[in-house]
Amino acid sequence: MSHFIVTDRKTDYLLPPSLDDWLNQDHLARFIVEVIDDLDLSNLIRQYAGRGSKAYHPATLLAILVYGYATGIFSSRRLERATYDSVAFRYIAAGSHPDHDSLATFRRRFLDELSDLFLQVLAMAKEMKLLKLGNVCLDGTKIDANASRHSALSHGHIEKLEAQLKAEVQELFSLAEQADQADVPDGVSLPEEIKRRENLPIEEAVRVALTRVVGAYAIVVIDRTEPEKLVAARKGSPLVVGIGDDEYFMASDATPIIEYTKRVIYLNDEEIVMATRDGRLEIKSIGNEVQTPFIHELDMQIEMMEKGGFDYFMLKEIYEQPKTIGDSMRGRLNAEEGWVKLGGLDEFTSRIAKAKRFIIAACGTSWHSGLIGEYLIEDLARIPVEVEYASELRYRNPIITSDDIVIAISQSGETADTLAALELAKEKGAMIYGIVNVVGSSIARITDAGSYIHAGPEIGVASTKAFTGQVTLLTMIALSLAQKRGTISDEYFRKLITELGNIPAKVNKVLESNALIQYIAGEIKDRTNALYLGRGYNFPVALEGALKLKEISYIHAEGYPAAEMKHGPIALIDEEMPVIVIATNKSAYDKIVSNIQEVKARKGFVIAIVTEGDTVISKIADHTIEIPDTEEPLTPLLSVIPLQLLSYHIAVMRGCNVDQPRNLAKSVTVE
């Protein structure tokens, strides 16, 4: 016995003192151990003793296999894990942890001997009415304490049951072998395991492996035995293949590889690409169908991925907004001639004209721009709009029909929740319109029509220029629909598009307040909470301002419609609570003034975004930040700028990583 690891079920543990105390006296595991202890294992012991100086005792291994198979666990890897996780298995293993290889090898090497021993255990169980035949199952509920000790090990009935019992044993071992063959080792690559077992080339092994994979992925595989090949695949997560001169690049986005090539292929879901050192490129579906790649030429400059003298990408992107807002309008709006044209909309004019409802699906900042889109489309075009969190849309069994237009908004075009919502909408027959920033992205490829915002690469995780680009595009959509439907006068239409054309210059003017905003940021940088209030078009801006503060400064902030302040949030207001109010001189101005007075009456610290020349609120608020006057539907494009700068400066003063805030990613490609 010196060759074996000593079995000891009496070893003291903490609470309760030993394994023996953990297990009920009538537990099935005890029955199996006691039966096996009474079996003649001498022949097995002699054969197995030569396998190493400290082999696991055959009785222990046999008991693990019997108990595992009787309780439906056939995989050797699962049995190994069970010796750590299960009290019953820990009792049987006596505190040891036989590895999966030892268990599988033991079963395969001594198959005949184990078959006989299993036969005896099952015969005993049958004699004691514990065995369910047909599908082997031992009923532990019928076991009395130490039952095996009070029953003679009589096998007189074995002969009558032998044929059936042998069939049961063979089935058990067959299931165990199937489970072990199907098992993928923990920490081992599934493609490598398939390649090893089936002797396939790495690209084929990856393809076969992915037919068994559930969930989203974007992977790149290289095989140490075939280093000249690079294999990549995607499902639900983005993957871009860059094509250089005698070289290939794999990335989740085109931005990191623009320095090396502007020629890219965007893989579709469940596509696999194999690139070789000698210049061969092959794309297949998981179903093994050869795909013809479409090569995109990127219109992107390397300078766009550099900070350009700014301390952070976020600040650079805030200051780029006069240009990016203008870029989103270029070729789509002409104030002098009085027209707005969006190619994606014009292609589906008749269907859009018949639409009974718009559904906007988005997440995060894009959801806030969608809320502004709701105000714009309902106000100007008089079409009902619902704005949905994409992450919730498909889980609530929504009513979507072929009469609906679903607008998906996403900076990256890869947001997993939004993509999933679109798949649902497509199934229900709705037309899908995409508003994205990244050319060639997944949403851009699966939508029926759409428009790019042309904001250029947005590196900072907290979205700024993409937000104003989205709002600009939604404004043009609303104006185009309003003109086609005749829901606004020509005079008002021309006034709006003229004013929209002036927005970039007015954003520049707002940016001139940066020094003042930086000073105000210093006043509230150490606060732990903040409240943002807005009405009408500026309520979503309040939400966006609060989100920016949370994202990059880690200060808790909430956005509310100003009128809702009295329905709860007012209880939180004291001298330590900064309240940021968007208080432009448009509709409900008097009520906004009243809201500010209520805050000040409770010693709240008020920062107000006001229209240039305002004399009323400047006398009440602690600080005011002026924005140029504009038409009410366009105010969000101006009022959001001070809130972006305020969040930025607070984050810098608090020593936060502005561009890459903790726990956040630029593109949320998982659900």
Side-chain angles (χ1 to χ4, degrees):
M1 295 292 287
S2 61
H3 289 280
F4 303 120
I5 296 170
V6 176
T7 59
D8 180 10
R9 296 183 182 88
K10 301 293 185 181
T11 301
D12 285 349
Y13 288 82
L14 182 64
L15 297 175
S18 75
L19 276 173
D20 190 62
D21 294 327
W22 282 78
L23 217 59
N24 296 333
Q25 290 299 310
D26 57 355
H27 198 281
L28 178 61
R30 290 185 182 273
F31 169 77
I32 288 174
V33 166
E34 291 170 359
V35 170
I36 290 173
D37 283 348
D38 284 333
L39 296 178
D40 182 6
L41 304 181
S42 56
N43 186 43
L44 189 60
I45 289 171
R46 279 194 302 272
Q47 294 182 67
Y48 197 66
R51 294 185 61 82
S53 60
K54 285 293 181 182
Y56 295 102
H57 197 285
T60 301
L61 300 179
L62 177 61
I64 291 172
L65 296 180
V66 172
Y67 184 76
Y69 299 171
T71 55
I73 302 175
F74 299 98
S75 160
S76 297
R77 295 183 181 277
R78 287 187 62 197
L79 291 175
E80 178 187 343
R81 287 194 291 270
T83 64
Y84 292 93
D85 303 334
S86 164
V87 172
F89 278 100
R90 286 174 62 188
Y91 173 83
I92 293 169
S96 65
H97 307 286
D99 61 277
H100 64 275
D101 194 51
S102 295
L103 290 165
T105 302
F106 177 72
R107 184 189 70 244
R108 291 164 183 158
R109 184 185 177 199
F110 301 105
L111 193 60
D112 291 340
E113 292 88 343
L114 292 178
S115 295
D116 290 338
L117 294 168
F118 262 71
L119 197 65
Q120 294 180 51
V121 176
L122 294 183
M124 172 57 72
K126 179 64 177 175
E127 193 168 300
M128 297 182 62
K129 299 183 171 49
L130 304 175
L131 175 64
K132 176 185 174 184
L133 291 171
N135 239 335
V136 172
C137 179
L138 295 181
D139 187 352
T141 65
K142 297 179 180 179
I143 298 173
D144 295 324
N146 296 308
S148 64
R149 297 298 186 195
H150 301 286
S151 302
L153 283 174
S154 168
H155 307 295
H157 301 295
I158 288 182
E159 291 183 5
K160 295 180 183 178
L161 295 168
E162 189 171 6
Q164 189 170 2
L165 289 174
K166 279 185 176 179
E168 297 284 352
V169 171
Q170 288 175 0
E171 176 67 13
L172 289 175
F173 287 149
S174 174
L175 290 170
E177 187 62 27
Q178 290 174 29
D180 283 348
Q181 287 292 330
D183 263 2
V184 179
D186 294 334
V188 173
S189 161
L190 181 58
E192 284 186 9
E193 187 71 5
I194 292 174
K195 184 174 183 286
R196 180 183 68 78
R197 294 178 182 180
E198 303 182 16
N199 196 29
L200 298 173
I202 184 62
E203 64 272 21
E204 185 62 11
V206 170
R207 187 189 69 78
V208 173
L210 292 177
T211 63
R212 308 180 190 181
V213 172
V214 177
Y217 54 80
I219 59 170
V220 181
V221 179
I222 189 168
D223 184 2
R224 65 176 66 89
T225 65
E226 297 182 84
E228 75 282 358
K229 292 180 180 178
L230 205 61
V231 182
R234 65 154 289 186
K235 181 183 177 183
S237 292
L239 190 63
V240 179
V241 181
I243 304 172
D245 297 326
D246 299 321
E247 58 186 353
Y248 296 99
F249 306 87
M250 312 289 184
S252 60
D253 183 72
T255 305
I257 61 179
I258 192 67
E259 181 179 352
Y260 308 100
T261 181
K262 291 187 177 181
R263 301 171 69 228
V264 300
I265 297 170
Y266 294 96
L267 288 192
N268 295 314
D269 263 2
E270 297 191 335
E271 285 188 344
I272 302 165
V273 59
M274 189 269 292
T276 65
R277 208 181 282 275
D278 60 8
R280 187 160 60 98
L281 185 76
E282 185 180 85
I283 299 176
K284 288 185 177 181
S285 69
I286 289 179
N288 207 28
E289 296 174 352
V290 177
Q291 306 295 307
T292 302
F294 179 79
I295 300 174
H296 296 256
E297 293 283 343
L298 296 175
D299 182 21
M300 197 183 299
Q301 304 299 319
I302 187 64
E303 293 79 17
M304 300 173 75
M305 269 74 73
E306 297 174 342
K307 292 180 182 176
F310 290 90
D311 292 335
Y312 293 93
F313 279 108
M314 182 180 177
L315 187 61
K316 177 194 175 203
E317 288 155 12
I318 290 172
Y319 272 82
E320 284 178 343
Q321 288 176 110
K323 179 180 182 300
T324 57
I325 291 172
D327 288 344
S328 68
M329 292 187 285
R330 185 174 295 114
R332 295 166 167 168
L333 179 146
N334 189 311
E336 293 181 1
E337 297 180 13
W339 54 259
V340 174
K341 292 182 181 178
L342 292 165
L345 279 181
D346 292 341
E347 292 174 19
F348 293 87
T349 300
S350 60
R351 186 167 182 184
I352 291 171
K354 296 176 184 175
K356 295 182 179 178
R357 179 179 60 158
F358 280 71
I359 299 171
I360 298 176
C363 302
T365 286
S366 298
W367 185 75
H368 296 155
S369 67
L371 288 175
I372 297 172
E374 177 186 23
Y375 280 78
L376 287 162
I377 294 171
E378 289 194 342
D379 182 20
L380 302 177
R382 308 308 295 159
I383 301 172
V385 181
E386 294 178 13
V387 185
E388 300 274 358
Y389 283 113
S391 56
E392 287 295 319
L393 180 61
R394 70 189 180 115
Y395 291 112
R396 66 171 187 83
N397 193 22
I399 300 171
I400 301 175
T401 72
S402 57
D403 294 325
D404 296 326
I405 308 293
V406 176
I407 300 177
I409 309 176
S410 169
Q411 188 283 138
S412 67
E414 302 291 350
T415 308
D417 287 315
T418 306
L419 280 164
L422 292 188
E423 294 292 344
L424 174 66
K426 269 199 162 185
E427 290 174 6
K428 294 180 178 290
M431 176 187 163
I432 310 298
Y433 193 93
I435 298 176
V436 300
N437 187 35
V438 179
V439 176
S441 58
S442 297
I443 290 176
R445 297 200 304 276
I446 71 168
T447 49
D448 299 305
S451 303
Y452 291 111
I453 64 175
H454 298 305
E458 189 176 63
I459 309 300
V461 168
S463 183
T464 51
K465 65 179 181 177
F467 173 80
T468 50
Q470 291 164 355
V471 173
T472 303
L473 201 54
L474 286 163
T475 305
M476 290 189 289
I477 289 172
L479 286 168
S480 179
L481 291 171
Q483 187 185 39
K484 287 181 172 67
R485 292 170 61 88
T487 50
I488 59 174
S489 67
D490 288 342
E491 182 184 1
Y492 189 44
F493 175 79
R494 283 183 172 273
K495 189 175 184 179
L496 284 173
I497 62 172
T498 300
E499 192 55 31
L500 185 57
N502 294 332
I503 287 294
K506 293 186 176 184
V507 171
N508 257 326
K509 194 167 184 181
V510 178
L511 292 170
E512 293 174 2
S513 301
N514 182 52
L516 169 64
I517 296 168
Q518 186 176 10
Y519 172 78
I520 296 170
E523 294 281 285
I524 62 172
K525 66 179 176 65
D526 296 321
R527 309 294 175 91
T528 55
N529 298 283
L531 188 63
Y532 287 71
L533 302 177
R535 283 179 178 262
Y537 280 98
N538 284 303
F539 159 55
V541 178
L543 296 177
E544 174 64 9
L547 178 62
K548 287 290 153 292
L549 191 67
K550 283 184 279 196
E551 284 181 317
I552 63 172
S553 73
Y554 318 139
I555 295 173
H556 173 253
E558 297 295 337
Y560 274 89
E564 288 296 305
M565 181 187 69
K566 297 186 291 294
H567 298 275
I570 197 168
L572 301 173
I573 294 174
D574 59 20
E575 61 273 12
E576 293 298 316
M577 173 70 83
V579 181
I580 298 91
V581 186
I582 304 162
T584 56
N585 63 352
K586 304 299 173 185
S587 60
Y589 178 73
D590 292 342
K591 290 186 171 54
I592 284 281
V593 172
S594 177
N595 293 143
I596 294 172
Q597 290 170 333
E598 289 174 326
V599 173
K600 292 304 298 179
R602 290 154 180 83
K603 301 181 179 179
F605 187 89
V606 175
I607 301 165
I609 313 297
V610 299
T611 304
E612 204 170 38
D614 186 288
T615 57
V616 177
I617 294 175
S618 58
K619 296 176 182 177
I620 310 170
D622 295 274
H623 295 285
T624 56
I625 303 166
E626 293 187 344
I627 62 172
D629 190 24
T630 191
E631 293 296 316
E632 187 170 11
L634 308 181
T635 54
L637 290 167
L638 301 179
S639 60
V640 75
I641 308 297
L643 304 185
Q644 294 172 347
L645 286 169
L646 186 67
S647 298
Y648 167 80
H649 287 300
I650 291 173
V652 171
M653 292 174 184
R654 291 169 65 91
C656 301
N657 188 337
V658 174
D659 287 336
Q660 295 180 309
R662 67 190 185 201
N663 306 330
L664 297 179
K666 186 61 186 171
S667 179
V668 183
T669 59
V670 295
E671 293 186 62

